[in-house]
Amino acid sequence: MHRSRRRDHRPARPRSGRTSTPLPLRQAGSVLAEGTGVVLVGYFSGKRKDFASVMDTAAAALAVRGIRVLGRAVQRRGVSDGGVRKMSWPLSSRTLIRRGKAQEVLVVREAVGADAVVFVNPLTDHQRRVLTELFGCPAVSLADAPAE
């Protein structure tokens, strides 16, 4: 007899080393208080040439609020990654950036002792939750932060 190819509907087993409850999320305003140290992260198309000035502008906007930028990371998507049509899409719907870059940001955050990770790009609620759990600190978007 042949086995059914239908999906097994049993609940998934929890993966080892992961918590089943996500870390609590705070509003960007309470995370980005004066004196907070952050890692600034940006995701840019390979065709965008002014990414360095965008990162500098974001760092200056944070500095005006009294937030210290302790580290930076940039994920650039080249043409070879999927064609012109997909250039504006995120590399990962879960984390916006690739897994390797996310691990790099985690290492930088731990090395400099940052309190939060700030993305220049807007984040979805799902991305914010996944990144907060991955980094072990709040991950917020610069667009979510209240203006002074």
Side-chain angles (χ1 to χ4, degrees):
M1 284 207 152
H2 296 288
R3 292 179 87 184
S4 173
R5 291 184 177 243
R6 292 179 18 199
R7 183 175 180 264
D8 188 0
H9 292 286
R10 290 180 291 178
R13 292 184 310 198
R15 295 181 183 173
S16 62
R18 291 194 178 184
T19 59
S20 59
T21 57
L23 296 173
L25 293 176
R26 294 181 278 172
Q27 294 294 333
S30 63
V31 171
L32 299 178
E34 188 172 339
T36 303
V38 300
V39 174
L40 185 62
V41 181
Y43 166 76
F44 302 99
S45 165
K47 292 184 175 186
R48 186 158 189 179
K49 304 299 182 202
D50 65 338
F51 69 92
S53 65
V54 172
M55 292 291 286
D56 291 340
T57 303
L62 291 171
V64 166
R65 298 178 197 158
I67 299 166
R68 300 172 293 125
V69 177
L70 304 175
R72 295 183 185 196
V74 174
Q75 174 77 62
R76 299 203 57 209
R77 183 171 189 174
V79 176
S80 62
D81 268 344
V84 176
R85 183 174 52 84
K86 296 180 181 178
M87 289 297 284
S88 62
W89 295 1
L91 288 173
S92 168
S93 60
R94 290 187 70 229
T95 61
L96 183 70
I97 54 179
R98 289 189 181 206
R99 184 178 346 146
K101 185 59 72 173
Q103 291 295 327
E104 182 181 319
V105 171
L106 174 62
V107 169
V108 169
R109 189 204 70 77
E110 290 173 345
V112 298
D115 302 313
V117 177
V118 177
F119 280 78
V120 174
N121 312 80
L123 297 173
T124 65
D125 290 336
H126 180 69
Q127 289 169 340
R128 199 172 291 113
R129 278 192 303 272
V130 169
L131 290 167
T132 296
E133 185 176 334
L134 175 69
F135 297 143
C137 70
V140 296
S141 174
L142 189 61
D144 297 337
E148 191 171 355

